[in-house]
Amino acid sequence: NDGDDSDGDGLCDDGDDDPDCSTNDTDVCGECGGGATADDLVDCDGIPTDFTYNLSSSQAFYYVGNVQDYKGEDLDGDDWIGAFNGDVCVGARQWCGGNCDVPAMGDDFIQWTDTEGYLLHNQIPTFKIYDASEGAYFPVSAHTDEQHGFQYYGVFNLTELMVTRDYSISLHEYMNLISFYALP
């Protein structure tokens, strides 16, 4: 008789840590019986955790025409693309189809905006995608003739970003023949 028990778990709302969850097991996103953990690749708002960044008064936009995942399939609306300066995310956008604008933030040298380590004039950003169907991040790159250095309030077009993979080839001490071709 000391108050309501809204969720029917036997605990009155005043003393119940989860008064709207009958199982008393809310996840990190506050969902009753949810499975989200702090180690998830996507946060509670649906944004990939590696793609969070702060806004800056120094901005540029990179319009991306096309991106395919590592299987050669076009990205879909659940996927994301992020701009980076080294390991620092400086902008991100949920894939919106062809000609999607990806923001890139620059270091505005204002302490409270927390943009230290963001892009400086003429630094070339790198890009990653988050492929939601794979639950994984992949580095992507533009053609060398489309790598544009950051400029304050710049607008750049990137025809296509391609998944890049690191690999190594073991060579024989004397006999090696390596053949390769460049993509168009």
Side-chain angles (χ1 to χ4, degrees), residues 29-131:
C29 295
E31 294 292 321
C32 180
T37 69
D39 296 328
D40 287 344
L41 295 176
V42 177
D43 71 11
C44 298
D45 294 324
I47 300 170
T49 54
D50 286 359
F51 286 4
T52 58
Y53 64 97
N54 296 318
L55 290 177
S56 169
S57 61
S58 301
Q59 302 180 3
F61 288 87
Y62 291 79
Y63 283 83
V64 179
N66 186 45
V67 183
Q68 293 180 336
D69 63 17
Y70 80 99
K71 295 178 181 177
E73 298 171 359
D74 290 335
L75 295 188
D76 63 36
D78 293 329
D79 301 326
W80 285 73
I81 183 166
F84 287 79
N85 185 26
D87 291 336
V88 178
C89 182
V90 298
R93 177 81 70 217
Q94 191 167 9
W95 183 247
C96 52
N99 236 8
C100 192
D101 64 325
V102 179
M105 302 295 141
D107 190 334
D108 59 13
F109 303 101
I110 301 171
Q111 185 176 1
W112 59 269
T113 60
D114 198 20
T115 58
E116 185 176 344
Y118 282 30
L119 293 165
L120 299 175
H121 187 69
N122 284 332
Q123 283 186 312
I124 298 173
T126 58
F127 297 92
K128 291 181 187 177
I129 61 169
Y130 174 74
D131 186 338

